[in-house]
Amino acid sequence: MDSSSNSIGGIIYAHKAAFWAGILAVTVGVILHLPMYLKASETGYRLVGMPMDIPMMIGMVLIVAGLLLTLYGLIPKSESQRSEIMNLKVRALDDAPIRSSHVALLLVMAAAVTIDVMKPTTLSFVLPGMTEEYGLKSPLNPDGTVPAALVPFAGILGTVIGSFVWGWLGDTIGRRASILLAAVTFIGTSICGSMPTYSMNVFMCFIMGLGVGGMLPIMYTIMAETIPARHRGWIMVLIGGDVIGAYILTSWLAAELVPIYSWRILWLIGLPTGVFLILLNNWIPESPRYLLTRGRHEEAKKVMQRYGAKIIEDESTKLNVEENVQDRLIQLFQPPFHKITSAVILLALGVGFVSFGFQLWIPSNLQNMGFTEAEANYMLRDSALIGFPLNFLIAWMYGRWSSKNTLILLSGFTALSLLGFAFAGSAVADNQPLLYALLVMPIWGISSVVAVLSAYCVEIYPTRLRSRGSGLGAGISKAGGVIVIGLVVLSVASPSILGTSLIGAVPMGLAAIALAMFGVETQQRQLEDITAEQYGNWSFQAVEQKQTS
């Protein structure tokens, strides 16, 4: 078969018809779940205790078959894996001016980031309604039996696994193909909104997490490898700042739709957003740097020309640094990357503890303080809106001032804000100005930390490891969520304001110290220069130590 005939945007389809048939099957399968949900309108869309109907069973079969077809159609039968590096002057890509193709890519990425982050963000807004419908144990219902935390625990566990799996896929089958695969899982897992039993909700949240976990790091990888170096930092952070946009949108949808259509509508929204994400993928290119390391030189040239980069052959190319990189995850924990990886792990854990400790339970804790569900949702939305304009300042700081110091400041201020909650406790509800002031950093600020950390991870690792490195940062942050939610499930830690504040403040403070010690400056530097310097410094130190001994 001539694979080029089935190649679009850097993806080589083994069976294009199977790929599109799979997407159709998954979409139809989700639609077949809707009648059961709509029939429950008279009971407030409560499905607990209802048996699965025939259309839903058929839909489940179609979704499973569709996912398998999509995977079969997406992964190529074979791909050139030549190890030699072409002598292309990659700096030409970094020297290219910003043009309309870059702007289109960034707009698509902003939309994709919003869609991706809406999935895990939804967890905190469905928990109150799910707790009431299934009689679960939570701060709102301490007398319940089965912990409500099992749902976010399953979802976040899925994201941990998904981050590493998609990191491997991104470095193996390509960045863009991996995004498509994740988008199809978004569509299929929207059926969480029509699951009648709690156990089925837990299982579907785990599957949803698999797709969500790998999406964000892959998108950051494409941006880092395509955007010119002098604009890369601030643009990635600005796009990543749309994480808080997803929080604003989700909290607004929760406040407007949940009182009418129940908590289930927040999951069902995944159907149209997933389809939209697949359509957006037409404007996402494959990474030219990835194509070059895979020996697909002609395709890399076409992508570079699309972004205004002149193709120049140069014997002094720094792409040859990739020849020293082992294409394995363990390389991240070996010299010269082991120290910076330790700093990334600490910060990622802190992000996970805040995002899935404090942030996950704050809607329930606010209601426990006496606020209504709508008041709590609007309060969180307003806190996010207050901090949203600061995204522009953070983007400027990261891209024009210092990537390393921006991370240190954000980590430190987040830790201080959480300590403020720990000291004030539930009494903070009596002082709303103080409550809003303290909420800004854990609600908006942690999203900025996620954006900056995601950008940082794709800059500090070489092309052969970039998706794995990005996946590591994302995976460890989700692992922090698994730890903190697991403690709640085991009743070792109570999801109170005091507990969730302290468990987030400590690792964030330690992360700031680790970054000050081991952080690498990446501001406006070419990716190959960053890798070459790390290898150069490590080689020099290794030789010096050997001579000394």
Side-chain angles (χ1 to χ4, degrees), residues 115 294 494 526:
I115 292 171
R294 295 295 167 174
S494 173
Q526 189 183 14

Side-chain angles (χ1 to χ4, degrees), residues 185-421:
T185 65
F186 284 13
I187 299 173
T189 54
S190 63
I191 62 173
C192 282
S194 59
M195 293 292 100
T197 65
Y198 180 56
S199 60
M200 293 176 71
N201 269 281
V202 172
F203 175 73
M204 290 308 303
C205 273
F206 173 77
I207 302 300
M208 175 205 72
L210 291 177
V212 172
M215 184 78 162
L216 199 61
I218 297 296
M219 290 189 293
Y220 269 100
T221 300
I222 288 182
M223 285 192 288
E225 294 176 341
T226 308
I227 300 171
R230 63 183 179 278
H231 301 294
R232 185 184 64 234
W234 71 267
I235 285 179
M236 285 198 299
V237 173
L238 193 60
I239 296 297
D242 204 43
V243 168
I244 198 61
Y247 194 93
I248 293 170
L249 181 58
T250 305
S251 59
W252 173 71
L253 288 172
E256 295 292 332
L257 299 180
V258 169
I260 303 173
Y261 301 105
S262 87
W263 57 272
R264 296 179 179 275
I265 193 64
L266 296 179
W267 287 136
L268 293 172
I269 289 173
L271 172 59
T273 55
V275 172
F276 181 58
L277 186 55
I278 289 177
L279 297 177
L280 288 180
N281 203 267
N282 288 322
W283 287 272
I284 300 176
E286 183 53 275
S287 160
R289 283 181 165 94
Y290 167 81
L291 294 171
L292 285 172
T293 60
R294 295 295 167 174
R296 293 160 61 179
H297 305 144
E298 292 304 317
E299 294 172 73
K301 285 184 177 182
K302 291 179 181 178
V303 176
M304 291 174 73
Q305 288 171 339
R306 176 179 175 181
Y307 288 93
K310 296 179 180 180
I311 308 304
I312 303 172
E313 293 198 20
D314 185 0
E315 292 299 327
S316 64
T317 177
K318 293 184 179 179
L319 274 174
N320 53 21
V321 72
E322 295 288 341
E323 295 176 351
N324 299 318
V325 178
Q326 298 179 30
D327 196 9
R328 298 184 303 167
L329 181 65
I330 191 64
Q331 175 75 81
L332 299 175
F333 302 93
Q334 296 174 336
F337 306 111
H338 59 303
K339 290 184 178 180
I340 187 60
T341 294
S342 65
V344 166
I345 288 175
L346 278 172
L347 181 57
L349 279 175
V351 168
F353 288 163
V354 177
S355 298
F356 303 104
F358 184 90
Q359 239 185 48
L360 180 64
W361 296 104
I362 191 61
S364 298
N365 278 321
L366 287 175
Q367 292 177 53
N368 204 35
M369 291 179 186
F371 298 103
T372 66
E373 182 176 10
E375 287 174 340
N377 290 340
Y378 279 123
M379 186 175 294
L380 293 172
R381 183 204 63 180
D382 293 342
S383 299
L385 284 171
I386 291 171
F388 187 76
L390 296 176
N391 284 333
F392 298 96
L393 174 61
I394 300 301
W396 178 86
M397 290 171 61
Y398 186 89
R400 301 297 183 185
W401 175 53
S402 168
S403 58
K404 173 183 173 180
N405 291 328
T406 300
L407 268 174
I408 294 172
L409 285 177
L410 281 173
S411 303
F413 277 118
T414 303
L416 290 174
S417 181
L418 290 168
L419 287 174
F421 266 111

Side-chain angles (χ1 to χ4, degrees), residues 225 321-322 325 337 460-467 531 535:
E225 294 176 341
V321 72
E322 295 288 341
V325 178
F337 306 111
I460 59 178
Y461 296 115
T463 303
R464 290 187 186 274
L465 294 172
R466 190 158 291 123
S467 286
T531 302
Y535 261 106

Side-chain angles (χ1 to χ4, degrees), residues 76 83 128 142 150 155 179 183 350 369 386 398 417 422 480 505 525 533:
S83 61
L150 283 176
I179 291 179
M369 291 179 186
I386 291 171
Y398 186 89
S417 181
R525 299 179 64 197
E533 179 182 307

